[in-house]
């Protein structure tokens, strides 16, 4: 025979009280995942801003790291919102790929107009660029921007050689290099870059002249 439970005998009316309903604590919000998602979305938006697409890369990078850490925290039960954190990782990766595509292949998205240097000049552009080189003994001339240059030869003459271009908006970095065509002959070379008729860079040398200007 099973002996009676002493707790029942001691309870009022001989009935044990019903234990309180204990609900599990609500998980903490996944703050890192939320911030990572916001940064990923901001990176996608920044990728389409002409001349500032490079800003998307650090935003996407930080968003990716936060999304991964948020996913790990949610998996270990330290925070909720695992879906948000995983979404942040996906969005950050998409933002990084998209920004790389926009920067490397701007024509795909139609964002190549602002800040691009057009050689020869394009009618309707806001600014005109004139590259000038003087070299009595002739010179090899390279002009344009850091990532888009043309190469020509300046004849042996005291007259100026001219290269023309144009751009609208942005901040292109203009470059002009002239080096002597014959290293064994002394040759005074000078270069000048003008934007809308105003000199923005000039230099001279015996064998080479280099002009660089960040304009906008």
């Amino acid at each position: 025979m099973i002996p009676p439970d002493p707790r029942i005998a001691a309870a009022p009316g001989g009935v044990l009280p019903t234990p309180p309903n204990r609900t599990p604590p609500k998980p903490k919000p996944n703050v890192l995942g939320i911030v990572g998602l916001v940064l990923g979305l901001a990176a996608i938006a920044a990728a389409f801003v002409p001349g500032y697409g490079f800003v998307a890369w650090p935003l996407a990078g930080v968003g990716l790291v936060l999304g991964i850490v948020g996913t790990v925290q949610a998996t270990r039960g330290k925070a909720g919102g695992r879906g948000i954190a995983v979404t942040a990782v996906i969005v950050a990766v998409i933002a990084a790929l998209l920004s790389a595509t926009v920067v490397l292949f701007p024509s795909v998205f139609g964002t190549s107009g602002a800040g691009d240097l057009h050689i020869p000049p394009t009618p309707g552009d806001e600014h005109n660029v004139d590259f000038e080189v003087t070299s009595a003994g002739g010179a090899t001339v390279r002009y344009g921007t850091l990532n888009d240059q043309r190469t020509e030869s300046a004849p042996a003459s005291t007259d100026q050689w001219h290269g023309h271009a144009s751009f609208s908006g942005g901040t292109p970095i203009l470059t002009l290099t002239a080096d002597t065509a014959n290293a064994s002959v002394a040759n005074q070379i000078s270069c000048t870059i003008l934007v809308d008729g105003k000199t923005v860079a000039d230099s001279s040398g015996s064998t080479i002249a280099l002009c660089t200007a960040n304009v906008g």
Side-chain angles (χ1 to χ4, degrees):
M1 181 176 180
I2 301 175
D5 192 333
R7 294 177 300 172
I8 299 178
V15 180
L16 286 174
T18 303
N21 184 17
R22 296 181 179 179
T23 57
K26 188 176 181 180
K28 298 179 181 179
N30 200 317
V31 177
L32 295 181
I34 295 173
V35 175
L37 179 59
V38 172
L39 291 179
L41 294 174
I44 292 178
F48 291 97
V49 179
Y52 295 92
F54 64 90
V55 177
W57 288 338
L59 290 176
V62 175
L64 178 61
V65 172
L66 294 180
I68 293 175
V69 175
T71 302
V72 172
Q73 287 186 342
T75 302
R76 295 179 178 178
K78 296 182 178 180
R82 186 176 186 275
I84 294 178
V86 172
T87 303
V89 173
I90 296 174
V91 171
V93 172
I94 293 174
L97 295 176
L98 183 62
S99 61
T101 303
V102 171
V103 171
L104 298 177
F105 307 101
S107 59
V108 175
F109 296 89
T111 59
S112 59
D116 280 1
L117 186 69
H118 300 138
I119 305 173
T122 298
D125 277 355
E126 297 178 10
H127 306 286
N128 294 313
V129 182
D130 189 13
F131 299 94
E132 297 180 352
V133 171
T134 300
S135 175
T140 300
V141 180
R142 300 172 183 84
Y143 68 104
T145 61
L146 291 176
N147 58 354
D148 183 14
Q149 295 188 347
R150 306 290 190 276
T151 301
E152 295 186 13
S153 295
S157 172
T158 56
D159 295 333
Q160 288 180 329
W161 170 92
H162 290 268
H164 302 285
S166 64
F167 69 96
S168 289
T171 55
I173 300 177
L174 307 176
T175 64
L176 172 60
T177 304
D179 55 81
T180 184
N182 188 348
S184 63
V185 178
N187 185 14
Q188 188 68 20
I189 304 175
S190 65
C191 67
T192 304
I193 301 177
L194 300 95
V195 176
D196 298 331
K198 180 181 178 181
T199 300
V200 295
D202 57 11
S203 179
S204 61
S206 58
T207 58
I208 187 172
L210 171 62
C211 293
T212 303
N214 190 345
V215 298

